[in-house]
Amino acid sequence: MIFCVRSAFHQNSTIHRLTLDGRLIHCTCQLTHECTDRVIQQRKAQLQQEGELEKVRRKRRLDFLDVLLFAKMENGSSLSDQDLRAEVDTFMFEGHDTTASGVSWIFYALATHPEHQHRCREEIQGLLGDGASITWEHLDKMPYTTMCIKEALRLYPPVPGVGRELISPVTFPDGRSLPKGTNCPPSLT
């Protein structure tokens, strides 16, 4: 639940739900959950149709929702509808802000470096020529543009990364080790 930090009364979810902002957030969350539940139920119904289940299992790559629907927990049971909804909500509604931020920073980086922007434009225009839309097949034929996108995302990551510098060497159970001064994710420290 999202709380407003401007008022101490809004720290309590019961009180917060009585406010206009709280009711709006609650209604928005309900609408979101209904949308997600509808997507899950529609996919479950499709998988019940004769032949659809086997067709999906033969696919080389499964959709994220299909992976979740086929997933089994450690005890052998499937994910509950509530667990499915939590995962699908995250996937459907959390990625848009990082994508928008990433694209914005890519445009910023290209705008501040017109020589690279011009080279990317030439590469794409040379590839498309007749004004066609970019397809999956085009992506591996744009090395310079890909390099610029990756560099912009390295310089301006849409999701912050947290690292730690080791102050002493670390040896793992399998015998491998990292020397002092290595930058690594916090999970290793």
Side-chain angles (χ1 to χ4, degrees), residues 1-188:
M1 182 57 77
I2 300 169
F3 297 103
C4 178
V5 294
R6 295 181 187 168
S7 170
F9 295 113
H10 291 180
Q11 300 300 315
N12 180 299
S13 60
T14 305
I15 295 172
H16 184 254
R17 195 176 274 183
L18 296 174
T19 67
L20 180 61
D21 285 341
R23 287 192 305 273
L24 179 62
I25 288 171
H26 179 73
C27 289
T28 304
C29 287
Q30 277 187 309
L31 182 66
T32 301
H33 292 318
E34 288 169 8
C35 176
T36 304
D37 289 341
R38 194 169 39 254
V39 169
I40 292 169
Q41 295 312 318
Q42 285 173 350
R43 187 61 182 153
K44 280 184 174 181
Q46 287 175 341
L47 291 175
Q48 297 301 319
Q49 294 174 2
E50 188 174 329
E52 183 68 20
L53 185 60
E54 283 309 311
K55 189 184 341 175
V56 170
R57 288 187 183 198
R58 284 192 308 259
K59 283 176 33 178
R60 187 167 169 217
R61 290 192 175 98
L62 294 177
D63 298 343
F64 179 69
L65 181 54
D66 290 338
V67 170
L68 291 174
L69 289 171
F70 293 138
K72 299 287 183 196
M73 307 254 271
E74 288 180 15
N75 63 6
S77 66
S78 298
L79 294 171
S80 70
D81 285 348
Q82 188 173 5
D83 292 335
L84 279 170
R85 180 176 42 177
E87 295 297 331
V88 174
D89 276 348
T90 299
F91 189 77
M92 288 177 60
F93 301 107
E94 296 301 325
H96 69 280
D97 53 345
T98 53
T99 302
S101 175
V103 169
S104 296
W105 282 112
I106 291 166
F107 288 153
Y108 171 79
L110 287 172
T112 56
H113 297 89
E115 66 281 7
H116 299 294
Q117 179 185 23
H118 179 71
R119 194 162 162 196
C120 288
R121 183 182 300 116
E122 284 180 343
E123 181 178 64
I124 293 170
Q125 286 175 339
L127 184 64
L128 298 180
D130 61 353
S133 297
I134 292 179
T135 64
W136 286 109
E137 290 75 35
H138 291 119
L139 295 180
D140 62 346
K141 297 174 186 167
M142 301 185 310
Y144 191 79
T145 303
T146 301
M147 180 187 67
C148 289
I149 290 170
K150 288 179 179 180
E151 181 64 6
L153 292 174
R154 184 189 70 80
L155 291 170
Y156 309 105
V159 177
V162 177
R164 300 284 187 265
E165 184 176 317
L166 296 178
I167 58 172
S168 62
V170 173
T171 302
F172 298 99
D174 65 359
R176 294 181 298 158
S177 63
L178 293 173
K180 174 184 175 180
T182 302
N183 287 316
C184 61
S187 60
L188 294 179

